[in-house]
Amino acid sequence: MPAESPDQCRSDTNETPQGHTPVRTPTLVDRIAENYLFACCELDPVEATRIGVHGFDDQVTDYSPDGIADRVRAARAARRRLQQMPPQDTIDAVTIAAMLERIDSFLALSDADLLVGELNVISSPLQSVRRVFDLQPTATDDDWRTLVARLTQVPRSIESYTEALRARQRTAHRIPIRQVECGIEHARLSPVAFDGLIHRGPDGDSPLGRDLVKAARSASRSYLALAEVLESEFAPHTGTKDSVGKDVYRLRSRSFIGTGIDLEETYEWGRATLASIVSAQQRTADALAPGAGISRVLELLDANPRYTLHGTDALQRWMQDLSDRTLANLQDTHFTIPREIERLECRIAPTRTGGIYYTGPDEELTRPGRMWWSVPAGVDRFHTWHEKSRVFHEGVPGHHLQVGTAMARGHELNRWRRLANFTSGHGEGWALYAETLAVDLGLLDDPADRMGMLQSQRLRSARVVIDIGLHCELPAPSCLGGGIWDPGKAWQFLAEHCVLDEISRRHEHDRYLGWAGQAPSYAVGQRLWQQLRDDYLRRNPESDLRQFHDRALAVGSVGMDVLRRTALGLGPEDPAQSVSSPTAGSSN
């Protein structure tokens, strides 16, 4: 069934059934937001499925320069309408501020020629087109018909992406050879996932099964053709420089965090934070094995059968059991967990490219939130001491609580606020904050698990140092021989501060080089969340931690400047409206 435009939908949301939460009557600002969401979904159906909007699951996205230009025009039109519309209440005021901040960040990237032809190892059209099929329902024949309709169009979407990649090479921001080589590898691995659809789908002798086989093989050929284009056209002629420079980095960083940061100050803060985490690890190591040292304790933990899982089936069961117990135990303690999200599925992703990620519920809350683990080929041993905090990061009290809380607030937040407004500094910062909060909540009482959490925090702080240092070409630490940061120094620094296997470490390394500004948004966002919490409790001494969490999460995902103003009740003209930290203000 085709999706309805918001202008076609009945506006009866002010009806309040007896015993239910009062439902806010939509305003004209909500209508602008809904129309913008609908336009975005029409122009990017793959993203519509990812965020849980139905009605576009049989369509693909046009990634060509013309397709991106259509999205830019939609953003500019929404911006003009917002500027002409006075808010009717505080919710409207937050919607306007949040939309303007997101749209302005998007347009700044467009003006700098940074939207067309993105290619990296974790979040570019190369991954999005394939990954969207993980999210489509497959319970009925009609579900499979919808999936096949989209799958049939994958070659067209990949062709549009190829056009965008060629256009990117004509700008000043040529794709570095490292990302091209990774793109070739990922494109050649993608047919494995399409073959998986065939194995899960209808009988191959049925008409629907034959259509699925034909579409899957066509999609695989399109990815293999993309790999050939990257290898023949791009690899011989692309750039070798990985760093993007300070000007581009500032744009990228603001788009990921929702506020400006002082790059040099944040770099030094990252180094100091990293040193403090290493000290905390040393104390924990001494408690586990006095005198052994951090590296030796990590080896001992990896060798301990108590903390070892064998195979992805065991990993999936462990994740699900831990998630279920945590969600039940935290209900009505330091958080209010909506009943609509009292379910989180933990799954092994069909791809094998590395990485752990979360996908939220759909807007009807029928598709549950999911934690996915993309296990690299050859990896079959997992260490729970290191992975426990990751479940808290992706699940509860991390992403699932954060995203699900907003999704469950349909009685007052419009669909754009609930579905389409994810800001990495807000989202990933909260999830990293949730990892450390797990210590206070008694979820990491085992010193081994605390060591894992500290190792996770150590990696995120190392990301700040590596990412800013390399892309902004800052002086490297003396332990790396000084000089200016380069990929070799980044690899050496990463090897010192993370305990990932070499395959996963390579994925991390290539990720930083190809997605400038995103990796630091975790630790920087956590820093800002912690400052906001402390500010809130200082201004509201009668409040407790649960009240802060409930108030802040009810806002939904917004840029960190907007979150601060909203959570602290600051007006838009308040001189303290920017984040009150050394990272705020000028990035010069």
Side-chain angles (χ1 to χ4, degrees):
M1 188 174 88
E4 286 187 306
S5 160
D7 285 333
Q8 298 171 315
C9 297
R10 289 170 46 206
S11 180
D12 55 0
T13 53
N14 58 336
E15 296 179 9
T16 307
Q18 186 175 1
H20 287 65
T21 303
V23 179
R24 175 174 174 269
T25 300
T27 66
L28 292 176
V29 169
D30 290 322
R31 183 64 66 193
I32 292 171
E34 298 262 352
N35 283 334
Y36 181 52
L37 173 66
F38 184 80
C40 290
C41 291
E42 278 193 312
L43 295 170
D44 192 353
V46 167
E47 178 67 4
T49 298
R50 189 193 69 79
I51 64 176
V53 177
H54 295 301
F56 303 90
D57 294 344
D58 59 344
Q59 302 167 40
V60 294
T61 298
D62 177 2
Y63 295 104
S64 71
D66 286 345
I68 299 297
D70 288 340
R71 294 191 226 174
V72 170
R73 280 192 288 271
R76 294 192 190 281
R79 193 185 195 286
R80 287 194 298 271
R81 295 186 187 103
L82 284 170
Q83 289 182 306
Q84 298 167 359
M85 192 61 59
Q88 298 300 304
D89 55 20
T90 55
I91 294 177
D92 268 2
V94 175
T95 297
I96 292 171
M99 289 187 69
L100 289 177
E101 187 279 320
R102 288 291 82 197
I103 289 173
D104 285 347
S105 291
F106 176 77
L107 295 178
L109 294 173
S110 174
D111 292 342
D113 288 329
L114 293 169
L115 291 182
V116 174
E118 291 189 275
L119 176 62
N120 57 53
V121 303
I122 190 169
S123 182
S124 64
L126 188 152
Q127 293 85 18
S128 299
V129 174
R130 198 229 53 78
R131 190 179 288 169
V132 72
F133 294 98
D134 299 345
L135 301 176
Q136 293 201 225
T138 55
T140 68
D141 281 352
D142 282 344
D143 290 338
W144 279 104
R145 289 187 186 94
T146 300
L147 186 150
V148 169
R150 169 173 271 168
L151 191 60
T152 301
Q153 300 173 72
V154 164
R156 177 162 60 85
S157 190
I158 294 299
E159 286 176 9
S160 74
Y161 179 46
T162 304
E163 181 185 349
L165 291 170
R166 289 174 174 141
R168 179 62 166 260
Q169 296 299 83
R170 296 191 291 270
T171 72
H173 310 294
R174 295 165 67 86
I175 304 167
I177 183 62
R178 191 183 310 270
Q179 302 304 314
V180 172
E181 291 172 345
C182 291
I184 293 168
E185 179 183 4
H186 284 207
R188 287 179 173 158
L189 287 172
S190 292
V192 174
F194 293 125
D195 287 344
L197 290 175
I198 295 175
H199 296 318
R200 293 192 292 115
D203 189 292
D205 292 330
S206 68
L208 182 55
R210 289 194 293 271
D211 288 343
L212 172 63
V213 171
K214 180 180 178 181
R217 290 176 177 168
S218 179
S220 293
R221 287 194 297 270
S222 71
Y223 265 84
L224 295 176
L226 174 60
E228 292 301 316
V229 169
L230 289 172
E231 186 170 56
S232 62
E233 293 185 26
F234 288 72
H237 307 294
T238 195
T240 58
K241 187 175 182 180
D242 293 284
S243 60
V244 300
K246 288 184 179 180
D247 290 341
V248 169
Y249 197 89
R250 289 189 184 101
L251 293 176
R252 292 285 194 191
S253 176
R254 178 174 282 279
S255 74
F256 285 122
I257 301 173
T259 190
I261 63 171
D262 182 317
L263 297 177
E264 286 78 5
E265 188 279 335
T266 305
Y267 175 73
E268 294 301 332
W269 167 81
R271 293 184 62 181
T273 301
L274 182 59
S276 70
I277 292 171
V278 172
S279 295
Q281 274 195 300
Q282 184 60 63
R283 293 191 295 272
T284 307
D286 288 341
L288 287 164
I294 296 173
S295 297
R296 179 58 181 156
V297 167
L298 299 184
E299 291 174 359
L300 292 172
L301 290 174
D302 274 353
N304 190 333
R306 175 183 175 186
Y307 303 110
T308 303
L309 300 169
H310 297 277
T312 53
D313 288 345
L315 174 65
Q316 188 276 330
R317 289 193 298 271
W318 174 79
M319 288 192 299
Q320 190 67 63
D321 177 67
L322 176 59
S323 173
D324 290 346
R325 286 187 286 110
T326 304
L327 202 151
N329 291 338
L330 290 185
Q331 178 63 277
D332 296 327
T333 56
H334 292 286
F335 312 96
T336 300
I337 302 176
R339 60 175 181 77
E340 296 93 337
I341 63 166
E342 291 178 342
R343 179 184 171 208
L344 172 69
E345 288 186 357
C346 297
R347 293 191 173 191
I348 305 300
T351 54
R352 310 193 76 179
T353 55
I356 302 170
Y357 57 95
Y358 171 80
T359 56
D362 60 5
E363 59 182 324
E364 285 87 12
L365 298 169
T366 55
R367 183 186 81 194
R370 290 168 178 157
M371 173 183 174
W372 300 86
W373 197 314
S374 178
V375 179
V379 176
D380 62 357
R381 294 177 73 242
F382 309 93
H383 307 290
T384 60
W385 69 270
H386 187 241
E387 312 303 350
K388 195 169 188 178
S389 63
R390 295 197 191 195
V391 177
F392 302 146
H393 179 110
E394 304 295 343
V396 172
H399 286 316
H400 185 59
L401 174 63
Q402 172 193 42
V403 174
T405 296
M407 292 289 286
R409 297 190 69 80
H411 57 281
E412 68 174 25
L413 299 183
N414 62 55
R415 296 168 76 218
W416 183 87
R417 291 274 300 273
R418 301 196 313 275
L419 298 166
N421 185 31
F422 182 83
T423 306
S424 184
H426 181 286
E428 302 298 353
W430 168 266
L432 207 56
Y433 166 73
E435 290 185 28
T436 57
L437 192 64
V439 176
D440 300 329
L441 298 177
L443 301 175
L444 294 170
D445 285 345
D446 187 328
D449 294 333
R450 287 201 300 278
M451 180 64 90
M453 183 276 295
L454 287 169
Q455 189 61 42
S456 172
Q457 295 278 315
R458 182 174 177 176
L459 172 60
R460 270 47 174 267
S461 295
R463 285 175 172 177
V464 174
V465 180
I466 294 171
D467 206 71
I468 296 177
L470 188 142
H471 283 292
C472 298
E473 299 177 333
L474 299 179
S478 58
C479 64
L480 299 175
I484 299 300
W485 276 92
D486 59 36
K489 290 183 174 68
W491 176 256
Q492 181 182 343
F493 197 77
L494 184 61
E496 179 183 351
H497 290 291
C498 80
V499 293
L500 299 171
D501 58 87
E502 186 166 347
I503 296 172
S504 300
R505 190 186 309 156
R506 179 62 61 187
H507 175 81
E508 285 284 314
H509 180 257
D510 293 339
R511 166 189 177 174
Y512 307 153
L513 297 176
W515 208 15
Q518 196 274 343
S521 66
Y522 290 63
V524 173
Q526 177 190 21
R527 181 189 193 188
L528 301 179
W529 267 106
Q530 289 170 334
Q531 291 170 344
L532 176 58
R533 175 199 61 194
D534 295 345
D535 248 3
Y536 177 85
L537 294 177
R538 184 171 57 251
R539 289 167 178 252
N540 301 277
E542 75 289 351
S543 295
D544 59 19
L545 201 57
R546 178 174 177 174
Q547 288 172 305
F548 166 71
H549 290 151
D550 288 352
R551 179 182 176 92
L553 291 178
V555 178
S557 183
V558 295
M560 294 306 291
D561 269 344
V562 176
L563 176 66
R564 176 176 173 78
R565 293 200 300 270
T566 305
L568 297 183
L570 303 176
E573 303 303 322
D574 193 304
Q577 63 182 313
S578 294
V579 179
S580 61
S581 79
T583 60
S586 172
S587 297
N588 295 323

